[in-house]
Amino acid sequence: MEELMKTEWLAIINRKKNGAYPEWTSEPAVLTEDTFEKVFDIVDTKDAGDPIVRPENTGTATYYNGDENNQYNIRFIKNEEFFNQFQISDENGNIRDWAKGMSRPDYIAYDLSDEKVYFIIHELSEGSIQNKKAKAMKQLLNMVRMLYEAPQSRQYCECFQKRLCYVSANGCVTETPFNMADGFMEAYKNLPEPLPLNNKTIENRGFKAYQSNVVKL
């Protein structure tokens, strides 16, 4: 995925940039973080360079990774930071943004197994979900559209068995059991179900969208 972002995605950004800007020729950075943890939280690092993965009950959304017999090695891509790097200040101090107007959900996550089970686009929003849901859904929708605009990215996505979009914010499904690792399967069975977010364009591209602060793999 990372190489496709450096090539196909960069080509799309150059094609859609302000026509007054020169072509972006530097190789873009794609920042990633891997985890094999059974239970973990994630937070929005907002270009701070901090770790995405945190101990449970300390972040915005909680991942429950597999079951007692099967855990996934999950790679998170700092998707928002990828788009944010296409900026420079001109001689007047104004920010020139090659990716202006392009949606940039916080993270893309996928399992590194040969089985390719999960591919996830995850938007973490601050504040109440009632005030953030419309914008977050637009972010997810436009990200899915871009993935399918790039032929090799589309082909890569379609290799995964389950393609998901998540919005997490205050007011989402949050009934997360504490001390999960102490009784993994019992808590795992009782996790709340995510709230579906219906969108035909997303669904027609093989994704399902949910509102929840709990991601059960």
Side-chain angles (χ1 to χ4, degrees), residues 36-72:
F36 197 68
E37 292 291 328
K38 182 185 292 184
V39 186
F40 59 90
D41 281 13
I42 62 170
V43 296
D44 182 359
T45 61
K46 289 193 181 300
D47 300 310
D50 297 330
I52 302 166
V53 176
R54 306 294 175 88
E56 62 174 313
N57 306 312
T58 65
T60 304
T62 304
Y63 276 67
Y64 299 93
N65 184 10
D67 55 34
E68 287 183 330
N69 301 314
N70 181 43
Q71 291 170 235
Y72 300 98

Side-chain angles (χ1 to χ4, degrees), residues 81 156 217:
E81 292 189 35
Y156 182 79
L217 303 180

Side-chain angles (χ1 to χ4, degrees), residues 146-165:
M146 180 173 170
L147 283 168
Y148 273 61
E149 183 179 344
Q152 292 182 67
S153 292
R154 172 178 180 168
Q155 184 179 24
Y156 182 79
C157 287
E158 290 180 341
C159 289
F160 287 86
Q161 300 173 42
K162 299 179 181 180
R163 303 190 290 279
L164 308 171
C165 296

Side-chain angles (χ1 to χ4, degrees), residues 6-210:
K6 295 177 183 179
T7 53
E8 276 198 320
W9 289 28
L10 175 58
I12 291 173
I13 289 168
N14 272 324
R15 187 167 68 246
K16 294 184 176 181
K17 65 178 173 58
N18 184 317
Y21 298 169
E23 184 172 310
W24 189 282
T25 57
S26 300
E27 180 177 291
V30 181
L31 303 177
T32 66
E33 185 175 326
D34 297 352
T35 185
F36 197 68
E37 292 291 328
K38 182 185 292 184
V39 186
F40 59 90
D41 281 13
I42 62 170
V43 296
D44 182 359
T45 61
K46 289 193 181 300
D47 300 310
D50 297 330
I52 302 166
V53 176
R54 306 294 175 88
E56 62 174 313
N57 306 312
T58 65
T60 304
T62 304
Y63 276 67
Y64 299 93
N65 184 10
D67 55 34
E68 287 183 330
N69 301 314
N70 181 43
Q71 291 170 235
Y72 300 98
N73 190 9
I74 304 296
R75 170 162 293 170
F76 284 88
I77 296 177
K78 295 186 176 184
N79 186 59
E80 182 178 10
E81 292 189 35
F82 174 80
F83 287 95
N84 288 350
Q85 71 186 293
F86 297 101
Q87 298 180 355
I88 63 169
S89 296
D90 63 20
E91 60 275 7
N92 298 315
N94 299 313
I95 299 297
R96 297 166 61 180
D97 183 357
W98 271 248
K100 184 177 181 179
M102 299 184 71
S103 293
R104 49 195 82 181
D106 294 299
Y107 301 120
I108 289 174
Y110 61 95
D111 79 88
L112 294 168
S113 70
D114 292 337
E115 289 77 19
K116 287 185 167 56
V117 181
Y118 288 101
F119 186 96
I120 300 168
I121 304 170
H122 204 148
E123 170 67 11
L124 304 178
S125 297
E126 297 179 359
S128 169
I129 185 61
Q130 285 76 17
N131 299 324
K132 303 291 184 178
K133 182 160 58 176
K135 181 180 178 181
M137 279 300 294
K138 184 177 179 180
Q139 293 258 59
L140 296 173
L141 172 60
N142 288 337
M143 189 76 256
V144 170
R145 282 175 169 159
M146 180 173 170
L147 283 168
Y148 273 61
E149 183 179 344
Q152 292 182 67
S153 292
R154 172 178 180 168
Q155 184 179 24
Y156 182 79
C157 287
E158 290 180 341
C159 289
F160 287 86
Q161 300 173 42
K162 299 179 181 180
R163 303 190 290 279
L164 308 171
C165 296
Y166 272 89
V167 177
S168 297
N170 292 337
C172 288
V173 179
T174 57
E175 297 173 8
T176 304
F178 283 75
N179 301 316
M180 177 74 169
D182 294 340
F184 185 86
M185 287 310 297
E186 189 60 34
Y188 189 82
K189 294 173 184 176
N190 295 314
L191 290 174
E193 292 298 321
L195 179 66
L197 296 171
N198 298 320
N199 184 286
K200 287 296 183 183
T201 303
I202 287 177
E203 293 161 10
N204 288 342
R205 286 163 173 78
F207 282 80
K208 294 182 179 179
Y210 296 99

